[in-house]
C-alpha cells in the first residue's frame, strides 16, 4: 500500500502536471520524511503534508514599463507566500526570463525548510519576474523595479514579508525597490534585505551565502577528519554566491579553479582571481570571455563546446564541488563523472542544483553531501541578522555578523547530522535536513490550529 507521502505526491502530480521543478522539490522532501511520518501519525491526522505543499497565498500581477526607445514592455510579477507558521514570510526575488510558477513554487517550498533550519523565526516565500536585467540600461532596470514595487508593496512589510535578492536581483535592484517602497508607504523600515550599507544593509550579507557554504563544507569534512586546506575545488556560477564561495575558499587555503556563467566556463589552473571576477561580473556586468581577456593564461570553453550531456565544469578533477549557479546543473552523468574523478565533497550553494538521480548517487557513494537547504542557508540567516539590526536600529561589525553566520552554519550541520542519526540514517544530511526543517514547521502548524 502506498504510504501517506506517496499518496499526496501522486495527487500533486495530477494537480500540477506542468510544474516539474515544484514536483521535483516536493519529491525530494517527501522521500526523506517517511521515517518521521511513519513514527508520528499526528502529521497524517492533521493532514500536514496536504497543507504544507499548498502556498498560503499566491500573488501574480502585471508589470508594465516603458523601455529606452519609448516602447511599452509587459512582464509577469509574482510573490508566493508559502508558509508563515514560524515567522514572517522571507525569501528572495528572482529576475530571470525562465521565471514561472513552477520555479517560484519550488524555491518557495525549499525556503520553508531552509528558513526553519536556520533556527530563526522566519517563514518561507519567494517571488520574482520573467524580466531579464541583462542588457537593460540602469534606467530600464529602475523603471521595472518601480512598477514591480507598485503592486508588491501592498503585500509586504518588516513583520509581514521581507523579500531579498536571488538570481538577477543584487544590491542595485534592491536599492531601486527600496526607494519605491519608501515613496509609496512613507515608511523607512527593514522591508527588504541585502540593502546598501548606507540605508540599513548589513555588513557580510553580500558574502554570506558563499561564505556559509564553505563553512558548511568544513563542518562536514571536520567530522570525517578531513579539511579543504590545499584542496582543488570546482565552483559553478559567477554571481553573488560563486564569487564569495571562491573568496572564502582562497582564505582557508583551498584552490577554486573554475567558474561558469550562462555562456561558458573558465578554468584557471592558478586559482580563480576573485578581483578579476568581481571586475567582470559586478562592475562590467560582462560575460566570462572578459575574464579570459584579463587573465590570458585561463582557459575558456563556450557552452556549445561542452561534452554531450555533461556540464564541463564537473569533468574537472576536484576534491570538492560547489554548484552555485542554478537548478539542475548537476545531472546523473555529471555526478558519475565527479565521483569517478575522486570528488569527496559536494556542497550545494545554489537551490536544487542536483537532479534527484544525482542526489541519490552522492548519498549512495557516502561522500560528504551538503544539500542546498542546509548548505546555502547562510544567506537568508544573515538576512534575518539584517532584520534584527534594522529593528534595533543598530549596525554590527563585519566580524560580529560573520561569527554569528559561522555559528549558525555549524548549528545547521549539527542539527541535520544528529537528526539523521536519530532516524537511523547517519551521515545522510538530505534526510537529516529535511526532517529537522519539517518538524519545527509542522509542529507549529498543529499548535496554531486549522485556520
Ligand atoms: P546571480 O544572479 O548573482 O548569479 C547567478 C550566476 O549563475 C550567474 O553567473 C549566471 O550567469 C549563472 N546562471 C544563472 N542561471 C543560469 C542558467 N540557467 N544557466 C547557466 N548559468 C546560469 O545569482 P546568485 O549567485 O545570487 O544565485 C545563484 C544560486 O544561488 C541560485 O540558485 C540562487 O537561488 C541561490 N541562492 C542565492 C542566495 C543569495 O543570497 N543570493 C541565497 C541562497 C541561494 P550569467 O552571469 O551569464 O547571468
Ligand atoms: O534562496 C535564498 O535563500 C535567497 N535567495 C536568500 C533569501 C533571503 O531572504 O535572504
Amino acid at each position: 500500500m502506498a504510504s501517506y507521502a506517496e499518496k499526496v505526491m501522486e495527487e500533486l502530480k495530477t494537480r500540477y502536471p506542468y510544474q516539474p521543478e515544484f514536483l521535483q522539490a516536493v519529491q525530494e522532501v517527501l522521500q526523506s520524511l517517511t521515517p518521521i511520518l511513519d513514527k508520528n501519525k499526528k502529521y497524517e491526522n492533521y493532514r500536514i503534508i496536504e497543507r504544507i505543499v499548498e502556498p498560503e497565498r499566491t500573488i501574480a500581477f502585471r508589470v508594465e514599463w516603458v523601455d529606452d526607445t519609448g516602447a511599452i514592455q509587459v512582464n509577469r510579477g509574482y510573490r508566493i507566500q508559502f508558509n508563515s507558521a514560524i515567522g514572517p514570510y522571507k525569501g528572495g526575488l528572482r529576475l530571470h526570463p525562465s521565471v514561472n510558477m513552477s520555479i517560484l513554487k519550488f524555491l518557495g517550498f525549499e525556503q520553508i525548510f531552509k528558513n526553519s533550519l536556520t533556527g530563526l523565526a522566519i517563514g518561507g516565500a519567494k517571488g520574482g519576474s520573467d524580466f531579464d536585467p541583462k542588457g537593460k540600461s540602469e534606467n530600464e532596470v529602475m523603471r521595472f523595479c518601480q512598477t514591480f514595487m507598485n503592486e508588491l508593496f501592498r503585500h509586504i512589510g518588516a513583520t509581514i514579508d521581507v523579500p531579498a535578492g536571488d538570481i538577477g536581483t543584487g544590491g542595485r535592484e534592491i536599492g531601486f525597490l527600496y526607494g519605491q517602497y519608501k515613496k509609496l508607504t512613507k515608511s523607512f523600515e527593514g522591508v527588504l534585505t541585502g540593502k546598501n550599507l548606507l540605508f540599513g544593509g548589513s555588513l557580510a550579507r553580500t558574502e554570506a551565502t558563499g561564505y556559509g557554504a564553505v563553512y558548511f563544507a568544513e563542518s562536514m569534512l571536520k567530522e570525517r577528519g578531513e579539511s579543504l586546506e590545499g584542496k582543488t575545488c570546482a565552483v559553478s556560477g559567477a554571481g553573488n554566491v560563486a564569487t564569495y564561495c571562491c573568496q572564502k575558499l582562497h582564505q582557508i587555503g583551498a584552490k577554486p579553479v573554475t567558474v561558469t556563467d550562462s555562456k561558458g566556463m573558465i578554468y584557471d589552473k592558478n586559482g580563480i582571481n576573485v578581483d578579476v571576477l568581481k571586475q567582470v561580473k559586478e562592475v562590467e556586468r560582462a560575460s566570462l570571455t572578459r575574464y579570459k581577456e584579463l587573465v590570458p593564461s585561463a582557459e575558456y570553453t563556450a557552452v556549445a563546446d561542452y561534452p554531450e550531456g555533461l556540464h564541463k565544469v564537473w569533468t574537472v578533477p576536484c576534491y570538492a564541488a560547489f554548484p552555485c549557479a542554478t537548478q539542475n546543473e548537476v545531472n546523473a552523468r555529471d555526478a558519475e563523472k565527479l565521483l569517478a574523478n575522486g570528488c569527496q565533497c559536494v556542497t550545494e550553494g545554489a537551490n536544487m542544483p542536483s537532479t534527484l538521480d544525482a542526489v541519490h548517487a552522492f548519498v549512495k557513494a557516502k561522500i560528504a553531501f551538503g544539500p542546498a537547504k542546509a548548505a546555502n542557508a547562510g544567506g537568508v540567516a544573515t538576512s534575518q541578522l539584517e532584520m534584527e539590526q534594522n529593528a534595533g536600529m543598530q549596525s554590527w561589525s563585519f566580524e560580529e555578523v560573520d561569527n554569528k553566520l559561522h555559528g549558525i552554519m555549524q548549528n545547521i550541520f549539527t542539527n541535520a547530522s544528529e537528526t539523521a542519526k536519530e532516524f537511523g540514517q547517519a551521515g545522510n544530511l538530505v534526510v537529516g535536513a529535511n526532517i529537522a526543517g519539517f518538524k519545527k514547521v509542522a509542529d507549529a502548524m498543529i499548535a496554531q490550529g486549522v485556520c
Side-chain angles (χ1 to χ4, degrees):
M1 202 184 74
S3 71
Y4 170 42
E6 282 165 354
K7 274 188 281 181
V8 180
M9 192 65 229
E10 286 313 308
E11 285 165 18
L12 215 60
K13 283 183 187 164
T14 313
R15 191 167 305 120
Y16 300 115
Y18 303 115
Q19 299 186 349
E21 292 87 1
F22 174 58
L23 293 175
Q24 181 185 338
V26 174
Q27 184 145 5
E28 194 228 81
V29 171
L30 294 193
Q31 279 175 350
S32 302
L33 295 184
T34 308
I36 189 171
L37 297 177
D38 285 350
K39 206 167 150 188
N40 296 284
K41 288 295 170 194
K42 66 177 178 181
Y43 298 120
E44 184 168 357
N45 295 340
Y46 283 99
R47 301 192 70 189
I48 288 296
I49 302 297
E50 290 91 330
R51 291 161 63 191
I52 213 167
V53 297
E54 291 296 338
E56 289 175 13
R57 193 173 298 104
T58 302
I59 300 148
F61 51 97
R62 184 178 74 205
V63 189
E64 47 192 24
W65 54 282
V66 179
D67 70 19
D68 288 348
T69 71
I72 296 168
Q73 299 291 337
V74 183
N75 287 103
R76 283 130 295 275
Y78 309 90
R79 184 71 179 167
I80 316 250
Q81 297 180 330
F82 226 117
N83 194 298
S84 63
I86 62 166
Y89 304 109
K90 182 85 196 85
L93 294 173
R94 179 173 290 192
L95 299 182
H96 193 272
S98 65
V99 161
N100 58 32
M101 207 56 111
S102 174
I103 302 255
L104 294 183
K105 278 179 71 181
F106 118 62
L107 289 162
F109 185 73
E110 285 283 293
Q111 202 81 43
I112 303 171
F113 307 97
K114 182 196 303 193
N115 293 4
S116 167
L117 279 171
T118 64
L120 306 167
I122 36 181
K126 202 82 188 193
S129 172
D130 57 2
F131 172 79
D132 187 359
K134 236 182 255 161
K136 304 288 189 304
S137 71
E138 290 277 311
N139 278 333
E140 287 176 327
V141 171
M142 182 178 74
R143 283 197 295 275
F144 167 82
C145 288
Q146 289 173 342
T147 35
F148 185 84
M149 187 53 86
N150 283 347
E151 175 58 36
L152 187 69
F153 87 97
R154 58 187 104 247
H155 308 289
I156 62 177
T159 58
I160 300 169
D161 183 354
V162 183
D166 194 78
I167 290 178
T169 308
R172 174 182 66 172
E173 290 74 19
I174 293 290
F176 293 147
L177 291 164
Y178 191 73
Q180 188 70 357
Y181 179 85
K182 201 158 53 61
K183 180 99 181 168
L184 291 164
T185 62
K186 302 176 288 179
S187 173
F188 193 101
E189 60 180 41
V191 68
L192 292 161
T193 58
K195 298 186 291 297
N196 190 304
L197 298 177
L198 298 169
F199 47 88
S202 173
L203 285 161
R205 174 61 187 91
T206 305
E207 292 83 355
T209 313
Y211 278 23
V214 176
Y215 295 151
F216 194 86
E218 285 190 306
S219 294
M220 289 196 293
L221 292 170
K222 192 168 169 207
E223 198 183 56
R224 294 164 179 248
E226 301 275 335
S227 96
L228 287 168
E229 201 181 333
K231 304 287 187 0
T232 298
C233 302
V235 178
S236 68
N240 173 266
V241 181
T243 300
Y244 294 94
C245 174
C246 288
Q247 185 170 83
K248 182 52 74 178
L249 286 172
H250 279 301
Q251 285 175 11
I252 63 166
K255 187 157 109 176
V257 292
T258 60
V259 280
T260 68
D261 67 10
S262 50
K263 302 211 175 62
M265 161 190 159
I266 284 287
Y267 171 72
D268 190 339
K269 64 178 186 318
N270 299 319
I272 292 297
N273 184 322
V274 174
D275 291 335
V276 171
L277 182 61
K278 286 185 188 176
Q279 174 64 26
V280 172
K281 287 292 173 186
E282 293 179 3
V283 181
E284 299 181 23
R285 296 180 187 272
S287 127
L288 284 174
T289 48
R290 179 78 179 124
Y291 185 104
K292 166 82 182 156
E293 279 170 26
L294 297 170
V295 184
S297 61
E299 292 170 30
Y300 179 81
T301 311
V303 170
D305 298 324
Y306 286 3
E308 180 74 22
L310 288 169
H311 294 86
K312 189 176 163 86
V313 62
W314 311 128
T315 68
V316 173
C318 65
Y319 173 82
F322 291 85
C324 296
T326 192
Q327 63 274 359
N328 292 330
E329 56 165 325
V330 187
N331 60 35
R333 287 190 56 202
D334 295 322
E336 209 178 289
K337 192 80 189 163
L338 279 165
L339 292 168
N341 280 337
C343 177
Q344 292 297 315
C345 175
V346 175
T347 309
E348 297 188 323
N351 283 307
M352 204 170 75
S354 310
T355 62
L356 284 170
D357 287 348
V359 173
H360 291 154
F362 296 138
V363 170
K364 189 164 163 233
K366 295 192 184 308
I367 62 163
F369 177 68
K373 58 176 76 66
N376 74 32
V380 74
T382 308
S383 277
Q384 196 278 352
L385 300 179
E386 182 172 329
M387 289 162 69
E388 229 176 294
Q389 291 169 78
N390 293 164
M393 295 195 167
Q394 291 177 16
S395 182
W396 303 340
S397 70
F398 189 97
E399 288 66 33
E400 188 172 356
V401 180
D402 190 34
N403 286 337
K404 284 182 199 275
L405 167 65
H406 207 151
I408 290 167
M409 297 315 293
Q410 179 59 46
N411 287 343
I412 294 173
F413 169 72
T414 306
N415 188 6
S417 174
E418 294 298 316
T419 305
K421 281 183 205 148
E422 185 189 331
F423 286 90
Q425 305 218 27
N428 185 341
L429 299 179
V430 177
V431 164
N434 282 329
I435 293 183
F438 168 79
K439 191 174 181 314
K440 185 176 168 192
V441 177
D443 290 344
M445 287 171 73
I446 293 173
Q448 288 171 22
V450 181
C451 51

